[in-house]
Amino acid sequence: MNPAVRIQSEDFDPAAEMDALASGRTDIGAVASFVGLCRDEEGRLSALELEHYPGMAEAEVARVAGEAARRWPLLGLTVIHRYGLIRPGERIVLVAAASSHRQPALAATEFLMDYLKTRAPFWKREHLATGELGAWVAAKEADDAAASRWAAPV
């Protein structure tokens, strides 16, 4: 199983992506997914700008997706992460994992999202509703704590 990893500026259709994972497959019993959206931070943000190094980001996300495929018995895996200027309410990320059973699909989805929130090579900058550029966004302690549970091999 080769994970599908795409880093793109364009929006994506989560339902179509999940359908593509399971279409024509009778061995798949579960598709777990997560879709991350841009928040407006209580009206403070007009957009979130995501930057990456082309080539490096794809390779690193693919490496970690491959790790997920080695940890759990997955039958399909799709990771899509957007870059560019993303407005509140727009989609940023999709992780969809397919397996025979729900537990591996759910665990792989959580593992990948924890990685994407804390260690993936993306940089986020706030664009404020006032028209000013805001700060670069760092991983939160809660995100780091959630990701630390994956340090030990499964």
Side-chain angles (χ1 to χ4, degrees), residues 49-53 56 120-125 136-137:
E49 182 178 1
L50 282 87
E51 294 184 4
H52 74 296
Y53 288 116
M56 183 183 91
F122 293 95
W123 296 269
K124 301 174 195 171
R125 186 168 194 178
W136 291 98
V137 179

Side-chain angles (χ1 to χ4, degrees), residues 4 14 22 32 44 46 67 73 85 98 108 116 151 154:
R44 206 174 54 77
S46 67
E67 183 179 334
L85 207 58
L116 290 168
V154 172

Side-chain angles (χ1 to χ4, degrees), residues 4-26:
V5 173
R6 297 196 320 261
I7 311 298
Q8 62 191 46
S9 61
E10 303 82 24
D11 194 13
F12 53 85
D13 179 346
E17 296 294 338
M18 289 186 293
D19 285 348
L21 269 179
S23 181
R25 304 281 304 265
T26 58

Side-chain angles (χ1 to χ4, degrees), residues 63-154:
R63 182 189 69 76
V64 176
E67 183 179 334
R70 288 185 295 280
R71 284 181 175 230
W72 293 280
L74 301 179
L75 300 171
L77 179 59
T78 299
V79 180
I80 301 172
H81 203 299
R82 292 183 60 204
Y83 64 88
L85 207 58
I86 300 173
R87 305 275 177 205
E90 293 181 348
R91 291 180 280 264
I92 299 172
V93 63
L94 167 73
V95 174
S99 185
S100 294
H101 302 281
R102 68 183 156 89
Q103 193 284 328
L106 289 166
T109 300
E110 282 190 283
F111 168 78
L112 282 157
M113 279 311 306
D114 285 342
Y115 159 76
L116 290 168
K117 286 287 288 180
T118 59
R119 296 182 297 143
F122 293 95
W123 296 269
K124 301 174 195 171
R125 186 168 194 178
E126 296 176 330
H127 286 245
L128 304 178
T130 61
E132 299 170 310
L133 277 179
W136 291 98
V137 179
K140 296 177 177 85
E141 283 184 35
D143 293 330
D144 288 332
S148 70
R149 67 186 160 148
W150 307 111
V154 172

